[in-house]
Amino acid sequence: METTLRGVGVSHGVAIGEVRHMGTAVLEPPARQITADEAEREQGRARQAVSAVAADLIARGQLAGGEAQHVLEAQAMIAEDPELMADVDRRIAVGSTAERGVYDAFAAYRDLLAGAGEYMAGRVADLDDVRNRIVARLLGVPMPGVPDSDEPYVLIARDLAPADTALLDPALVLGFVTEEGGPTSHSAILARALGVPAIVALPGAGEIAEGTVIAVDGSTGDLFVEPTAEKRAELEAAAAERRAALAASSGPGATSDGHKVPLLANVGGPADVPAAVEAGAEGVGLFRTEFLFLDDSKKAPSEEKQIESYRKVLEAFPEGRVVVRVLDAGADKPLDFLTPADEPNPALGVRGLRSLLDHPDVLRTQLTALAKAAEGLPVYLEVMAPMVADRIDAKAFADACRAAGLRAKFGAMVEIPSAALRARSILQEVEFLSLGTNDLAQYAFAADRQVGAVSRLQDPWQPALLDLIAMSADAARAEGKSCGVCGEAASDPLLACVLTGLGVTSLSMGAASIPYVRATLAKYTLAQCERAAAAARAADSAEEARVAAQAVLSGE
C-alpha cells in the first residue's frame, strides 16, 4: 500500500528504486587499562591511525574534486587537530588504550560543541565520522559505509558524512534519504553538486525495510513507499519533462518576457570553475575564499599564493562578473591565527568582517592580492564583506578596499537581520548587496543551520525570510543599486521565480542547479513572478508559501 512521507528536498530530480541501508557497526572500544610501559606504544598507534585517516580523507577529496575536496580537507584538519591529539596523549598516559583514548577525547569535544548550542554544533556529524574512521582503523574493523551492490538502489542513512557523500557513484546510488541533517548541511550541498536526488530531515526513514521500493522526489521532499504504478508513471513523466526543459534551455537567465536575471555560480576555488562554465554560468556570484585559508590554520596564505588562486577564477570569466567574498572565518571555520579560541558562542562572536577588522593586515593582504590578480583582465570584479551588521561595518570595509587600491565594486552581504532592516543606510557606503539566505535564516529564526530538528525554520520559503529579502531588494531599487542572492535559496527553481518577483537582480547557486533555474525562469513572465512572490509573502508558513506560489504560477 502506497504511503507518503515528507522531508526536506535538497537536490532536484526523481529516484525510484529499492532501499539499501547504510552499514552500521558498534565502534565504541572496550575500556581496558594499559601499563605505563605500554603508553608510548599506544600513543604511536594513535598518531599513525590519525595520520592514515587524514591522508585517506585528502585522497578522497582529490578524487572527488570541487566542493567535496574542500569539505574533506577540512575534515582532515579535524583529524589532526593538535589540541585533540594532546588530549588523546593525556588519556593514554593515564591508562587508556589508543582506541579508547581517541574515542573519549572526541566524545568530550563532541559534548562540548553539542551542549553549547554553538554554530559549530552543526559539524558534530563530521566530528563523529572522523572519530569512527580512526577508531575503526585502530580496532582493525571495516569502516561503516555505503553498501556494496551490483544493482542501482536508493540509500537510506541516519546521516551521511561528507567522506561518504563525496564518492557516491550516481550510476549505482539513484538517490539518498537521511533522517537527520538540514538543507545547508555538507551532505546536502554535495548531493546538489553530484546531481543526486536527495531528501534530508525525514524522521522514521530508517524504519523502511531493506529492499522496499520507494520513490524519492528531491524537489518536493516527498518520499513514496511502495508507489503505485500510476504514481511511478506520474513521477517519471515529471522527471522526463524536467530533462526535456533542461536540454532546451541555454543562454542567459531571463523570464519569458525578457526580464534579465543573471545566473551565477557559487565556487570555492579554481577546481569548481569547469563545472560552472559547463553549466553556462554568467559569472561567479560567490567566490568563497576561505577554502584557500583552510589549507593551514596557523597562518594566512602568502599574497603570491592568493594572487595565483584568484587569477585562475577571474580568467575563466572574461567580460563576466565575479563577486568575491573576503575571508569569512570564525564559527564553523576557525583559524588559529585569526579567530578567538575561547568564545562561548562563535556564531554570535567575532566572525566574518569582525575578525578581519581586528586583523587589518590579513584584510589588507587579501584586498591587495585581489587588486593584483585582476590587473589587465577584462573582468567585472566585485568584492563583498561577510557578516555586515550596519553602516559602520560597511564604511570600514569600503575604506579598507580604497586604501588597498582596489578598483572594483564594494558590497555587503546581508546575513544579519539588522542589515536587511537598515539596508538603505548600508547602501550609502557600498554599491551592491548580496543575500546569504542560509545565515540570514539562521539568525532570523535562532535556528542552527545544521540541526535537523529545526530544519522547518531553515526552510528558505519561510514568509518572514521572504520579507527580509524583499526589504533588502526594495532598498537597493530605491538607491539604484543591485541586490543578488547567493545562498542556497537561489538553487530552488520555483523559489528563484519568487526571488525574481521580490526584486532580486541576480541569482547565484551551485553549478548543478543553474540549468534547472534557467529552464524554470524561462517559463514565466516577470508579472507572474511578482504575483507568486506576493502570494508567498501572504502565507503563514513555508509550506503554505510554496503551495501559494506554485498555484499562481500554474494558473490555478
Side-chain angles (χ1 to χ4, degrees):
M1 178 179 175
E2 179 182 303
T3 57
T4 304
L5 303 175
R6 168 65 63 84
V8 179
V10 296
S11 185
H12 307 299
V14 171
I16 302 174
E18 292 188 0
V19 166
R20 295 287 183 274
H21 287 276
M22 175 71 86
T24 58
V26 177
L27 289 178
E28 179 174 357
R32 179 176 68 82
Q33 286 293 111
I34 62 170
T35 65
D37 293 340
E38 296 175 292
E40 187 174 346
R41 183 196 69 193
E42 292 295 291
Q43 287 171 339
R45 286 182 63 228
R47 291 187 179 281
Q48 287 176 356
V50 166
S51 296
V53 166
D56 177 62
L57 289 168
I58 290 172
R60 285 169 175 260
Q62 290 172 341
L63 278 174
E67 184 86 36
Q69 183 171 0
H70 304 310
V71 172
L72 294 182
E73 286 175 351
Q75 273 201 295
M77 288 176 60
I78 293 175
E80 297 186 297
D81 182 271
E83 290 188 15
L84 267 173
M85 281 312 303
D87 191 18
V88 171
D89 282 343
R90 285 193 295 270
R91 292 174 187 274
I92 293 174
V94 296
S96 290
T97 60
E99 49 266 35
R100 191 71 208 189
V102 168
Y103 185 87
D104 289 340
F106 272 75
Y109 190 42
R110 183 191 197 281
D111 291 344
L112 177 68
L113 295 184
E118 302 171 352
Y119 183 91
M120 279 190 69
R123 295 294 177 251
V124 163
D126 295 8
L127 190 71
D128 288 348
D129 180 58
V130 172
R131 177 203 64 202
N132 286 346
R133 290 177 186 278
I134 297 171
V135 171
R137 183 171 288 271
L138 287 166
L139 291 174
V141 301
M143 177 64 203
V146 178
D148 291 327
S149 176
D150 295 329
E151 298 296 326
Y153 60 90
V154 178
L155 180 64
I156 292 183
R158 182 182 63 80
D159 203 351
L160 276 174
D164 293 317
T165 315
L167 296 183
L168 289 179
D169 181 356
L172 282 176
V173 182
L174 303 173
F176 71 76
V177 181
T178 64
E179 295 189 90
E180 299 181 0
T184 58
S185 66
H186 278 155
S187 291
I189 292 170
L190 294 180
R192 285 188 284 272
L194 287 167
V196 177
I199 297 174
V200 300
L202 202 167
E207 298 173 12
I208 301 173
E210 187 92 357
T212 303
V213 174
I214 63 172
V216 172
D217 189 332
S219 301
T220 65
D222 289 329
L223 184 154
F224 303 94
V225 180
E226 296 183 341
T228 62
E230 291 78 10
K231 176 58 70 176
R232 293 178 66 156
E234 176 188 328
L235 291 170
E236 287 168 350
E241 182 180 341
R242 287 176 192 150
R243 287 193 296 271
L246 292 181
S249 174
S250 62
T255 58
S256 63
D257 55 341
H259 175 74
K260 293 182 179 179
V261 187
L263 302 182
L264 312 172
N266 295 343
V267 304
D272 295 338
V273 168
V277 172
E278 184 180 351
E282 298 168 60
V284 172
L286 173 62
F287 181 179
R288 302 183 183 96
T289 60
E290 61 268 19
F291 289 120
L292 180 62
F293 288 75
L294 290 173
D295 287 345
D296 185 349
S297 67
K298 301 298 183 184
K299 65 180 186 299
S302 66
E303 181 180 305
E304 292 71 25
K305 184 176 181 180
Q306 291 189 54
I307 292 171
E308 179 184 6
S309 180
Y310 302 152
R311 194 169 180 88
K312 286 178 181 177
V313 175
L314 296 176
E315 286 175 336
F317 295 95
E319 304 293 339
R321 175 186 178 197
V322 176
V323 184
V324 179
R325 179 176 71 189
V326 294
L327 176 60
D328 183 15
D332 69 331
K333 299 182 285 285
L335 295 172
D336 294 346
F337 67 88
L338 195 67
T339 50
D342 57 352
E343 284 189 305
N345 193 338
L348 301 179
V350 183
R351 66 166 291 200
L353 180 62
R354 298 167 187 174
S355 293
L356 293 174
L357 294 179
D358 281 352
H359 298 80
D361 54 324
V362 175
L363 177 58
R364 187 184 312 112
T365 299
Q366 184 172 25
L367 293 174
T368 301
L370 284 165
K372 292 180 178 179
E375 285 179 359
L377 295 181
V379 66
Y380 297 96
L381 176 63
E382 302 185 8
V383 182
M384 61 186 182
M387 302 301 293
V388 170
D390 56 17
R391 183 173 180 174
I392 293 172
D393 279 351
K395 183 179 188 304
F397 178 66
D399 288 346
C401 289
R402 295 187 191 96
L406 189 62
R407 299 181 64 183
K409 284 188 175 182
F410 317 141
M413 290 199 71
V414 178
E415 301 166 283
I416 304 172
S418 64
L421 293 167
R422 301 290 294 172
R424 197 159 183 181
S425 171
I426 288 171
L427 284 166
Q428 305 310 303
E429 305 294 342
V430 296
E431 298 171 83
F432 70 93
L433 300 177
S434 182
L435 288 136
T437 53
N438 307 346
D439 271 321
L440 185 57
Q442 172 174 251
Y443 292 118
F445 294 101
D448 191 310
R449 57 188 279 191
Q450 298 297 332
V451 177
V454 293
S455 61
R456 175 181 73 83
L457 298 172
Q458 268 294 328
D459 191 324
W461 281 94
Q462 283 286 353
L465 182 64
L466 299 181
D467 287 343
L468 292 171
I469 294 170
M471 195 175 295
S472 303
D474 287 346
R477 186 186 300 111
E479 294 296 327
K481 297 179 179 179
S482 62
C483 176
V485 168
C486 63
E488 291 300 316
S491 65
D492 179 336
L494 181 61
L495 186 51
C497 296
V498 168
L499 295 173
T500 299
L502 292 175
V504 167
T505 55
S506 66
L507 299 167
S508 189
M509 64 209 76
S513 298
I514 291 175
Y516 289 94
V517 173
R518 181 192 295 119
T520 305
L521 267 178
K523 293 165 58 177
Y524 306 108
T525 65
L526 176 59
Q528 285 176 299
C529 291
E530 289 172 340
R531 289 196 294 272
R537 289 184 68 189
D540 291 319
S541 71
E543 179 59 26
E544 289 177 8
R546 185 183 290 106
V547 170
Q550 181 66 71
V552 169
L553 294 177
S554 299
E556 298 176 4

